[in-house]
Amino acid sequence: MVVLNKELMTIVREVDVIPFRNRLKEHAVKIGMGLVNQTKIITAASELARNMLKYAKGGKVTLEVISTGRENGIRLTFKDQGPGIANIPMAMKDGYSTAKSLGLGLPGTKRLVSEFNIESEVGKGTTVTVIKWKNG
Amino acid sequence: MEKIPILRMGRLLLVTIQVDLYDRLAESLEADLVQMINKTGARGVLIDISAVSIIDSFMGRIIGNIAAMSKILDAETVVVGMQPAVAITLVELGLPLSGVFSALNVEKGMELLRSKLTNMERNVDGSDDGSAE
Ligand SMILES: Nc1ncnc2c1ncn2[C@@H]1O[C@H](COP(=O)(O)OP(=O)(O)O)[C@@H](O)[C@H]1O
Ligand SMILES: [Mg+2]
């Protein structure tokens, strides 16, 4: 897998999400991703950025355009140094929320992307990586 | 601060969301609408989201809240113009906005609201005089 483009953005305030979403959209359009897949990855990104803001006081997101040769896609890595998640399987359940919100962010995101990975250590932070293939 | 305008059309309130909402804007819309329904006694709220390209679970919840709150205040909410890609995404996210009536466009939404209001009034009249027809 090769990385065709890589940029790092910091998200510490709610308004930071807008330029990030716009940048993501630009890249998705550039690789020819269709409107439905664009909408899915941007919605997923929105959920993950919101989680970072809400639970970890912000963090950093790496936006990469990747290619396997056969297929192009976008990889996003959300990395924060927040409290971490003690029970990941629980957090991945529909409706589970420690904030009394809908609890759809993590499980919903997983459904919206092609590949999903979450790593978290209590007291250290959380890293969520997602890939959306152009035709995935 | 930026605000989303709320238009009054007789007994209806019309909100056209022209920008992609971020949290504070969405929350202030919720508060403004409730205030406006109270002030004007509006019976219906029409929210046009045809220009909105992203709805995540937070935004979805706000729209659901607006509908639920309007209901308590005796007003119906109709959401119109949801882009197909947004609708598909919401279902996969797990939030199919049930409970909020959806219509294709503002015109159809108005029709839907008007007919609902007429029906509601008819029902109220019917129960007031107590006569079964
Ligand atoms: N970046 C994060 N850092 C710490 N905890 C998190 C993070 N993201 C998610 N969580 C935890 O996982 C739970 C589920 O997240 P999510 O599915 O997005 O639902 P919601 O945000 O509505 O609670 C959250 O309530 C929170 O406890
Ligand atoms: Mg969340």
Side-chain angles (χ1 to χ4, degrees):
Chain A
M1 188 150 61
V2 287
V3 176
L4 304 175
N5 192 311
K6 177 172 178 166
E7 29 193 300
L8 186 69
M9 295 178 89
T10 303
I11 294 180
V12 285
R13 289 174 312 157
E14 199 189 285
V15 287
D16 296 335
V17 180
I18 308 273
F20 161 59
R21 277 193 343 196
N22 292 342
R23 202 84 188 103
L24 172 56
K25 167 121 188 162
E26 275 170 40
H27 283 296
V29 169
K30 208 184 286 173
I31 65 169
M33 191 180 274
L35 184 60
V36 171
N37 277 350
Q38 276 177 42
T39 306
K40 287 182 181 180
I41 181 73
I42 300 170
T43 303
S46 198
E47 293 289 346
L48 296 173
R50 193 188 303 292
N51 279 354
M52 234 167 41
L53 282 170
K54 193 155 134 189
Y55 304 113
K57 298 193 179 113
K60 285 189 159 58
V61 52
T62 311
L63 196 173
E64 292 167 298
V65 177
I66 56 175
S67 178
T68 59
R70 306 170 117 223
E71 179 76 303
N72 294 341
I74 289 186
R75 178 165 64 196
L76 301 172
T77 308
F78 296 81
K79 195 173 173 62
D80 69 57
Q81 298 183 317
I85 302 171
N87 190 337
I88 291 178
M90 191 73 111
M92 291 303 300
K93 280 198 181 135
D94 277 322
Y96 175 82
S97 173
T98 57
K100 294 204 174 79
S101 43
L102 294 175
L104 292 174
L106 290 176
T109 292
K110 187 174 180 183
R111 287 189 287 268
L112 290 172
V113 298
S114 317
E115 288 171 42
F116 179 98
N117 185 59
I118 181 166
E119 276 160 34
S120 191
E121 200 178 324
V122 174
K124 285 254 170 74
T126 302
T127 302
V128 181
T129 307
V130 297
I131 295 175
K132 187 74 183 171
W133 298 113
K134 180 183 152 189
N135 300 308
Chain B
M1 204 180 95
E2 203 181 343
K3 275 218 181 256
I4 296 166
I6 302 172
L7 271 174
R8 187 181 172 183
M9 295 181 71
R11 294 177 304 171
L12 306 181
L13 299 178
L14 177 64
V15 184
T16 305
I17 302 177
Q18 297 281 16
V19 292
D20 275 323
L21 290 178
Y22 54 90
D23 303 10
R24 219 155 312 151
L25 202 58
E27 273 168 346
S28 75
L29 172 65
E30 186 180 357
D32 290 350
L33 258 177
V34 168
Q35 206 190 358
M36 194 82 159
I37 294 170
N38 268 326
K39 208 169 76 184
T40 63
R43 302 298 308 278
V45 178
L46 192 95
I47 305 178
D48 178 8
I49 57 167
S50 55
V52 177
S53 59
I54 299 296
I55 296 182
D56 62 12
S57 68
F58 179 87
M59 270 285 307
R61 184 157 86 132
I62 297 262
I63 295 175
N65 279 354
I66 288 174
M69 220 109 72
S70 311
K71 193 113 199 168
I72 293 170
L73 298 171
D74 237 357
E76 289 288 334
T77 300
V78 171
V79 178
V80 301
M82 185 183 289
Q83 295 177 12
V86 172
I88 293 168
T89 300
L90 275 181
V91 171
E92 212 159 277
L93 188 65
L95 189 84
L97 279 188
S98 49
V100 182
F101 296 87
S102 292
L104 234 45
N105 54 38
V106 173
E107 225 165 60
K108 290 258 157 43
M110 287 276 187
E111 256 169 48
L112 181 60
L113 268 180
R114 292 222 170 88
S115 73
K116 284 175 73 70
L117 292 188
T118 315
N119 278 339
M120 271 158 54
E121 274 151 17
R122 230 181 254 140
N123 287 341
V124 169
D125 290 348
S127 56
D128 273 350
D129 64 24
S131 63
E133 274 164 45

